[in-house]
């Protein structure tokens, strides 16, 4: 398999663990990814989610970057309507100035939260409508060719932090193609429009200063382990965690309560979200990833290792790389 591998780390807060322990786990995961030839590690902006510690995405990137040496790190992504483009340019311009050649900036237009949290973020519900213009404004700050007269990003101007458009629908495909940017599809949780969106992006792509040909990154869940029984247990735990996150109304649940949620109808939605999941022994995972890369017409796979403990996630990263011979950056 020649398609390079990357990692999406949601910085999960495992049951019974603290946020500090979760962040230490993210450092260990990035160090394992670096040691095993993955191209990049991305962190996603989420808010008000008890099981995810990546809300302050740029801060987490800075912490991990200081504890790794070569792997690319970035946002997958920053939810741009939650922020001013200038502030994002300053944050990622600072990161790029400290860690030159290692910082990516993926951009999404979803809130990364529920409606109540969106209001707490002081987000304008109509902010998503200006997403294309905000991407271009941000691009101007980072290139040093600001679209806002008299305003420059300091730090940021001239860092040319590479931008990526994230999406799970045709909107992102059209925008990434029009702006000549790489397109990252969130098929690890929203698989429905994958093939249509990728085909649209490739067909409509217009070359830009950043990119002369289309480039597709596709998300895929991975659970790799030496023992098939253990992998099955991990997959069951992932299904429970997804059910509680979506339908648990913010309260902790026992495994038995989560199983009742799954049996009551949550299971169908959870399984649909997990459509693109490579699970099993390293050999099985390699075959499944090869099939997925072909289906997605992907130039790069962004693997989300979803096992319920840090140790299992790190081992999954290691086994997957060994199985598919990931190409170093």
């Amino acid at each position: 398999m020649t398609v390079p591998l990357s990692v999406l780390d949601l910085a999960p807060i495992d049951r019974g663990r603290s946020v500090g322990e979760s962040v230490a786990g993210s450092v260990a995961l990035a160090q394992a990814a670096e040691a095993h030839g993955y191209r990049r590690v991305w962190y996603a902006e989420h808010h008000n989610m008890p099981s995810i510690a990546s809300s302050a995405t740029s801060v987490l990137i800075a912490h991990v970057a200081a504890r790794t040496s070569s792997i690319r790190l970035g946002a997958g992504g920053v939810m741009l309507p939650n922020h001013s483009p200038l502030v994002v340019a300053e944050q990622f311009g600072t990161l790029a100035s400290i860690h030159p050649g290692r910082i990516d900036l993926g951009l999404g237009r979803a809130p990364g939260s529920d409606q109540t949290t969106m209001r707490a973020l002081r987000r304008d519900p109509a902010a998503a409508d200006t997403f294309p213009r905000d991407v271009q404004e941000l691009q101007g700050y980072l290139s040093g060719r600001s679209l806002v007269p008299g305003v420059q990003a300091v730090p940021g101007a001239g860092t040319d932090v590479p931008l990526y458009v994230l999406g799970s629908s045709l909107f992102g495909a059209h925008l990434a193609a029009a702006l000549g940017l790489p397109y990252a599809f969130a098929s690890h949780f929203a698989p429905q429009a994958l093939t249509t969106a990728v085909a649209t992006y490739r067909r409509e792509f217009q070359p830009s200063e950043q990119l002369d040909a289309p480039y597709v990154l596709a998300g895929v869940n991975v659970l790799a382990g030496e023992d098939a029984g253990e992998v099955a247990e991990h997959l069951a735990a992932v299904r429970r965690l997804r059910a509680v996150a979506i339908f648990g109304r913010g309260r902790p649940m026992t495994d038995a309560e989560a199983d009742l949620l799954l049996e009551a109808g949550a299971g169908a939605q959870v399984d649909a979200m997990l459509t693109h999941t490579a699970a099993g022994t390293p050999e099985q995972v390699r075959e499944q990833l090869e099939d997925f890369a072909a289906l997605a017409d992907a130039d790069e796979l962004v693997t989300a290792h979803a096992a319920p403990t840090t140790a299992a996630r790190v081992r999954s990263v290691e086994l997957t790389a060994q199985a598919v011979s990931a190409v170093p950056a």
Side-chain angles (χ1 to χ4, degrees):
M1 179 171 163
T2 58
V3 175
L5 297 183
S6 294
V7 172
L8 174 65
D9 179 10
L10 295 177
I13 305 172
D14 298 335
R15 184 181 295 179
R17 299 289 182 176
S18 68
V19 171
E21 289 170 319
S22 171
V23 172
S26 289
V27 171
L29 195 73
Q31 290 172 338
E34 181 173 80
H36 287 81
Y38 286 76
R39 178 160 291 183
R40 67 188 94 239
V41 180
W42 279 359
Y43 306 94
E45 177 186 346
H46 292 87
H47 298 281
N48 194 33
M49 293 189 179
S51 61
I52 296 178
S54 55
S55 55
T57 314
S58 60
V59 178
L60 182 58
I61 292 169
H63 180 75
V64 176
R67 288 154 181 81
T68 52
S69 60
S70 60
I71 195 166
R72 297 191 68 88
L73 299 165
V78 163
M79 300 299 107
L80 188 54
N82 291 344
H83 314 277
S84 77
L86 177 60
V87 168
V88 175
E90 291 169 341
Q91 290 176 351
F92 280 80
T94 300
L95 287 169
S97 298
I98 299 170
H99 305 284
R102 294 184 60 200
I103 302 301
D104 299 329
L105 178 48
L107 302 169
R109 68 183 183 117
S113 61
D114 55 57
Q115 294 297 312
T116 302
T117 307
M118 185 178 74
R119 289 192 290 272
L121 287 166
R122 303 296 191 267
R123 172 177 167 164
D124 180 349
D129 297 340
T130 63
F131 180 67
R133 186 172 72 238
D134 289 345
V135 172
Q136 291 175 296
E137 182 180 335
L138 174 59
Q139 195 171 35
Y141 290 134
L142 293 170
S143 68
R145 298 189 293 272
S146 175
L147 302 182
V148 182
V151 178
Q152 297 291 332
V154 183
T159 58
D160 291 308
V161 175
L163 302 183
Y164 299 73
V165 173
L166 278 59
S168 58
S169 69
L170 294 184
F171 180 93
H174 290 305
L175 180 62
L179 297 180
L181 295 176
Y183 181 47
F185 192 90
S187 35
H188 61 293
F189 75 89
Q192 292 80 4
L194 170 62
T195 55
T196 303
V198 170
T200 298
Y201 167 71
R202 290 193 179 280
R203 183 177 63 251
E204 297 181 1
F205 181 84
Q206 299 294 317
S208 68
E209 287 187 18
Q210 178 176 329
L211 196 63
D212 60 5
Y215 193 86
V216 173
L217 304 91
V220 57
N221 300 291
V222 177
L223 290 161
E226 290 100 340
D227 181 80
E230 183 181 48
V231 172
E233 291 177 3
H234 289 168
L235 182 56
V238 169
R239 293 181 76 245
R240 293 186 187 106
L241 289 169
R242 292 283 180 101
V244 171
I246 298 169
F247 300 103
R249 299 183 180 179
R251 70 180 184 88
M253 288 188 173
T254 64
D255 286 351
E257 290 173 322
D259 286 338
L260 287 175
L261 268 183
L262 290 165
E263 293 168 7
Q269 183 166 338
V270 168
D271 290 340
M273 294 173 67
L274 295 173
T275 295
H276 297 307
T277 298
T281 63
E283 295 75 16
Q284 292 171 325
V285 165
R286 182 188 66 243
E287 292 176 2
Q288 294 169 52
L289 290 180
E290 288 174 347
D291 291 344
F292 174 72
L295 171 71
D297 193 14
D299 300 295
E300 182 175 333
L301 298 186
V302 183
T303 57
H305 297 263
T309 67
T310 294
R313 288 190 292 274
V314 169
R315 190 59 180 144
S316 182
V317 164
E318 294 170 345
L319 291 173
T320 301
Q322 292 165 8
V324 305
S325 300
V327 178

